[in-house]
Amino acid sequence: MGNGFFAGRNGSDALSVFLTAAALVTATAASVITHEAARYLVSAVAIILVAVAAWRMMSMNVAKRRAENERFLSFFRSLRKDPQKAEEKKRRKEEKKTHAYFRCPECRKELRVPRGKGKIRITCPHCGHQFIKKT
C-alpha cells in the first residue's frame, strides 16, 4: 500500500481543506450572483482556489507545503482570543512590578526572577544553564 498514488506527496492538510471550503463558499456565492461578469469572476476565483488546493495536495515538496500549513495555522492561532491568555497577560502586567522575565540563552524557556536584586546568576531549571543578568 506504500506505493500508492499519494506516496511521497503532501496530501490533505488544514490549508488545503480551508482552500477547498473557501472554493465551495465562493462557488455557492457565484451561483446567486445575477450580474454575468461578476458571476464569471467569482467562479474563476472558486476554480483557482480548487486548483491551488489540488496542487498543494499533489505536491511532492512536502517540507515546503508543511511550512506553508504551519504559517497558516499560526496565523489563525494568533487570531483566536483565548481568555486564559488574557488573564495571563493581566497577571504578568501586575508581576512586572516585582519580577523580571528573561529567556534562557540555551533552551529559550522564559524565566521569572525577583526585581531589584542587582546582578544575579540565574540557573535555568529546565536545562541547568547559568547566566548573569541585572534585575
Side-chain angles (χ1 to χ4, degrees), residues 35-94:
H35 190 271
E36 190 175 357
R39 185 174 58 244
Y40 285 138
L41 179 65
V42 173
S43 295
V45 169
I47 291 169
I48 290 169
L49 288 171
V50 168
V52 170
W55 170 76
R56 289 190 83 261
M57 287 188 258
M58 299 297 167
S59 174
M60 295 184 92
N61 191 348
V62 177
K64 195 166 186 177
R65 301 295 85 81
R66 283 185 183 161
E68 291 167 357
N69 189 53
E70 186 53 43
R71 283 195 304 272
F72 168 77
L73 291 173
S74 66
F75 172 74
F76 274 98
R77 279 187 218 118
S78 70
L79 293 179
R80 219 172 49 194
K81 298 224 189 267
D82 188 1
Q84 288 178 336
K85 207 176 233 185
E87 188 64 35
E88 173 70 21
K89 273 186 168 180
K90 186 178 175 184
R91 183 184 62 80
R92 178 166 294 195
K93 188 175 180 181
E94 288 295 316

Side-chain angles (χ1 to χ4, degrees), residues 1 7 13 19 22 51 79 85 87 92 102 118 129:
M1 193 127 175
D13 58 13
L19 290 171
L79 293 179
K85 207 176 233 185
E87 188 64 35
R92 178 166 294 195
F102 298 105
H129 179 74

